[in-house]
Amino acid sequence: MSALAAFVTLGGDPSEAEGRVKAMLAAMPSRGPEARSVLLPGGVALGHRARHAAMGPWRLRPGGPVLTGSLRLDNAAELQSALGLAEAADAALVLAAYDRWGLDLPLHLEGDFALVLWDPAAGRLVGLRDRFGVCPFLYRATPQAVAVASDVEAVLGAFPACPPALDEIWIAEFLSGQPTSAQRTIHRGINRLEPAHMLLVEKGRTEIRRYWRLEVEPRHRPDPPEALLELLERSVAARMRGGTVGAMLSGGLDSSTLAVLASRMSEAPLPVVSMKFDACPEIDERAWIGKVHEAGRFRQLWLDGSEALGGTVEELLAEQGAPYLAPNLPTSRWLYRRAAEAGIEILLDGHGGDEVISFGTSRLTELAAEAQWRSLWRSTAAVSALFGSPRRELFLASASVGASSRWVRALARRLGPRATRDATAWRRAVHPDLVARTGLVQRVREANGVTVKGATDDIRRHIAQLTTPGYPTALEVLDRSAAPCGISPRYPFLERRVVEHCVAQPASAKFRDGMTRALLRDAMRGLLPDEIRLRSSKTDFSPNVRERVLRDWTESLDRLSRRDPGQIADFVDLGVIRGGIDGLRAGEADAPALFQTLRAIVLDEWLRAREFPAAARLDRRTPA
């Protein structure tokens, strides 16, 4: 994945722009060996870094708009036809589309992109991020300048004399696992451009606009399964363009679907990268993967996850540039390295399949509304097996919300379990003073109280799953891990037409005959072996995560247990964190405590590696 850099001078010395962009490019060495920048009139500079010959910045004609960024179009052929062009590169199509449609440009782009375009005639800088946040886009806007880049280190490098303060709100939300915004970063004033948004810098003003929103008209009758299959085939084919293709393959429904579809389009056996666990047979999926091999032609690459060379916390943080929560990141980065060694450049990934296809559990509420009590009870079996919730609780919870009779709703609430759990237990690991200063509890309540626009309850829930603030952050983590290997991760489920199709289907098509994720199971009938297509279980990899933390992060655990823990004491409740560490070492299977511990370790190591002036360490101003 290539990288962009841009600097616009709003006040000060315009001649500094190119030097700032060169410094930004130098701060992103993992994005490729080649870097190029251009200085434009008016104190504007754009830069591009990549591993291939198709280097930006790009320009169609002298004096015309200039473009840089990371770009992969799904609809290149459609654009060529609409613009009346012969075969053209993606960058040329974007520039021609801007000439035709101006600021309506993003409405005509399908694919993954983070772009910056400078229009000298209008004196306007336009920044765009794709609809789901596959490509990273960070920026800092001050009264003197605006800087944009693919990595946070590059944005920091654009303002070496003005280091930003830490953003306490981001830290509190990170530690609690309750992000309320996709815009914030740990650095106050350095922001992400949210997915489906545009950045405009014009006449000294900086403005953020949303250009697309996930909204669909509900289907009252489901579309035939072939419709989803056709959309997925088109999405996979589009993402196989531009390099040597491989796929991640587990024994699950999502990765198996993509691997089989890609193998049908590949002239040679498709390379697939999979994990095996010789030391942990309870999480080993080789038997399932073997079933997938019956449906396609594959060249299998195995890695033993029990011996995963995940790296230390310091190595992972150096790669990520900021604190992160990604329990399986060591495994992912090892998969990327193995894929690169095998000559793979493009790696198809089933990430997003759960959210795009949907488990369809809102169907339980609909069954209660329709008084289909026997069907509701039968349907709770699949949901209980998948998520671990008792069937009786699922049944009563569905009736208490969905039943048309208020008497039935009241009875279900009375028979259901009493609320004994702390509804804000997620805040326990955060220092109480930080909780109070940031208004964390109220902030999270307000964010959770926002109703997503949608025609039905099922559609609202489906859209909410796809637009959660943590979604683009997870994609950034994978992007940062893949970049040093020269791997481009691609996500066929995260394609607009696939997403809109799935969201629009009725809940009865998403959860049918007691089976979750029915849309994809129906679409893959006859293509996937039924053992895989109808598989209802999911492997829990948390024991492997716990074992790896205890094995590889011992020093980090010990530091948090010491009497003088350092800066982290300003942010976490050390008693809670130390209790979680004791439980981790005792082998207690508590996923929330494991994740709290991981967040604390990562933040602690990140703070230790950096020296912050007192004024920059904690910003006590009214949160932005």
Side-chain angles (χ1 to χ4, degrees):
M1 188 82 64
S2 58
L4 67 88
F7 193 88
V8 180
T9 305
L10 303 179
D13 186 356
S15 66
E16 293 184 357
E18 187 173 22
R20 301 288 184 103
V21 161
K22 287 182 176 179
M24 295 164 75
L25 293 171
M28 300 185 287
S30 67
R31 298 290 179 175
E34 304 296 330
R36 190 163 64 189
S37 62
V38 294
L39 177 64
L40 303 164
V44 177
L46 302 184
H48 188 236
R49 186 157 201 139
R51 303 181 172 274
H52 47 73
M55 283 292 299
W58 301 276
R59 196 175 215 164
L60 283 182
R61 61 184 183 278
V66 186
L67 175 72
T68 187
S70 181
L71 172 63
R72 187 201 59 77
L73 292 179
D74 290 336
N75 63 330
E78 297 167 26
L79 281 175
Q80 288 169 16
S81 177
L83 296 167
L85 296 176
E87 186 172 348
D90 286 355
L93 289 171
V94 170
L95 287 165
Y98 178 78
D99 284 342
R100 170 77 64 87
W101 294 299
L103 293 182
D104 286 336
L105 167 68
L107 302 179
H108 299 271
L109 302 183
E110 304 285 353
D112 308 328
F113 50 84
L115 304 175
V116 168
L117 182 148
W118 172 251
D119 182 346
R124 171 199 295 155
L125 182 119
V126 181
L128 299 174
R129 192 175 186 190
D130 63 73
R131 290 169 176 81
F132 301 104
V134 173
C135 297
F137 189 118
L138 295 107
Y139 70 95
R140 185 177 185 182
T142 74
Q144 289 75 40
V146 176
V148 178
S150 300
D151 292 341
V152 67
E153 300 94 331
V155 181
L156 288 168
F159 300 93
C162 303
L166 300 181
D167 189 325
E168 286 195 312
I169 291 178
W170 186 93
I171 291 174
E173 292 182 356
F174 171 76
L175 289 170
S176 66
Q178 298 289 321
T180 64
S181 168
Q183 185 177 9
R184 291 183 180 278
T185 72
I186 194 170
H187 301 284
R188 187 184 178 102
I190 296 181
N191 297 315
R192 295 181 179 89
L193 184 64
E194 295 184 75
H197 279 69
M198 172 189 296
L199 169 72
L200 284 177
V201 183
E202 189 173 12
K203 298 178 180 178
R205 297 192 306 271
T206 302
E207 178 185 355
I208 305 295
R209 296 182 186 176
R210 176 187 284 275
Y211 67 81
W212 178 80
R213 192 182 299 273
L214 178 53
E215 295 176 339
V216 299
E217 289 295 324
R219 304 284 200 278
H220 299 294
R221 292 184 179 181
D223 291 318
E226 294 78 14
L228 175 57
L229 177 60
E230 181 181 350
L231 289 170
L232 279 173
E233 287 176 331
R234 288 174 57 184
S235 181
V236 169
R239 283 157 180 77
M240 293 177 70
R241 182 167 62 95
T244 305
V245 180
M248 289 188 174
L249 176 60
S250 69
L253 180 61
D254 297 329
S255 69
S256 299
T257 292
L258 300 183
V260 167
L261 294 181
S263 75
R264 289 159 58 90
M265 303 174 195
S266 177
E267 295 182 1
L270 181 77
V272 289
V273 190
S274 305
M275 302 298 298
K276 62 179 182 177
F277 292 89
D278 289 334
C280 302
E282 67 276 12
I283 63 174
D284 190 274
E285 297 214 315
R286 272 177 287 187
W288 297 104
I289 293 169
K291 295 291 184 183
V292 181
H293 276 252
E294 298 172 7
R297 297 181 305 120
F298 302 107
R299 177 163 63 89
Q300 183 67 60
L301 306 172
W302 289 107
L303 292 87
D304 189 342
S306 305
E307 303 173 357
L309 304 174
T312 64
V313 187
E314 296 91 333
E315 290 172 339
L316 292 171
L317 279 169
E319 181 180 88
Q320 290 297 316
Y324 63 91
L325 177 67
N328 288 310
L329 178 60
T331 300
S332 296
R333 71 196 299 261
W334 199 29
L335 284 167
Y336 292 142
R337 279 150 184 75
R338 182 69 180 92
E341 290 169 1
I344 295 171
E345 299 167 300
I346 296 166
L347 196 59
L348 302 179
D349 190 325
H351 186 91
D354 283 350
E355 297 81 8
V356 172
I357 300 301
S358 173
F359 290 101
T361 54
S362 60
R363 178 59 179 160
L364 301 183
T365 306
E366 290 186 356
L367 289 171
E370 297 164 5
Q372 296 190 41
W373 304 115
R374 289 184 179 179
S375 294
L376 174 59
W377 178 249
R378 288 196 300 268
S379 297
T380 58
V383 181
S384 175
L386 191 61
F387 298 111
S389 304
R391 290 184 69 184
R392 182 175 182 274
E393 290 186 15
L394 288 168
F395 183 90
L396 292 172
S398 302
S400 69
V401 174
S404 57
S405 167
R406 64 186 179 94
W407 303 108
V408 174
R409 294 197 302 271
L411 178 62
R413 285 193 292 269
R414 184 177 301 174
L415 294 175
R418 295 188 177 184
T420 57
R421 292 180 299 175
D422 180 1
T424 60
W426 42 262
R427 80 193 192 289
R428 290 179 61 245
V430 187
H431 196 292
D433 289 349
L434 183 61
V435 172
R437 282 199 307 274
T438 59
L440 178 63
V441 174
Q442 184 62 25
R443 185 179 293 276
V444 172
R445 282 176 178 164
E446 290 175 357
N448 291 339
V450 174
T451 302
V452 175
K453 186 177 180 181
T456 67
D457 179 62
D458 173 69
I459 286 179
R460 287 191 290 271
R461 292 189 192 185
H462 203 158
I463 292 174
Q465 291 176 332
L466 287 161
T467 55
T468 177
Y471 212 86
T473 305
L475 293 171
E476 281 183 26
V477 169
L478 295 175
D479 176 84
R480 293 276 307 220
S481 186
C485 308
I487 292 289
S488 174
R490 296 189 180 173
Y491 310 99
F493 286 107
L494 297 180
E495 197 270 347
R496 178 187 63 82
R497 286 163 286 203
V498 172
V499 171
E500 290 179 341
H501 171 90
C502 292
V503 172
Q505 302 306 305
S508 58
K510 299 172 185 177
F511 186 109
R512 186 175 49 73
D513 299 331
M515 186 67 72
T516 63
R517 313 190 71 230
L519 292 176
L520 189 56
R521 300 183 196 277
D522 289 346
M524 293 302 292
R525 182 179 284 110
L527 297 176
L528 272 181
D530 280 353
E531 294 94 329
I532 301 297
R533 188 177 68 85
L534 302 178
R535 181 185 177 186
S536 59
S537 62
K538 289 180 76 72
T539 300
D540 178 12
F541 290 100
S542 59
N544 185 57
V545 174
R546 187 180 296 110
E547 179 64 27
R548 189 169 56 233
V549 169
L550 290 172
R551 183 190 69 198
D552 298 338
W553 294 9
T554 302
E555 291 185 14
S556 301
L557 293 169
D558 289 343
R559 287 194 195 100
L560 284 175
S561 300
R562 292 173 187 165
R563 182 170 298 178
D564 182 16
Q567 298 179 63
I568 193 68
D570 290 324
F571 303 112
V572 301
D573 186 318
L574 287 170
V576 172
I577 295 300
R578 288 167 177 167
I581 292 174
D582 291 342
L584 186 67
R585 286 171 166 162
E588 296 174 4
D590 184 349
L594 173 62
F595 293 158
Q596 286 177 349
T597 303
L598 291 175
R599 292 187 187 99
I601 289 173
V602 169
L603 180 61
D604 179 44
E605 293 290 348
W606 190 84
L607 292 169
R608 289 177 185 276
R610 290 154 181 81
E611 293 295 331
F612 292 99
R617 272 188 54 204
L618 299 178
D619 190 339
R620 305 296 192 201
R621 293 174 293 169
T622 301

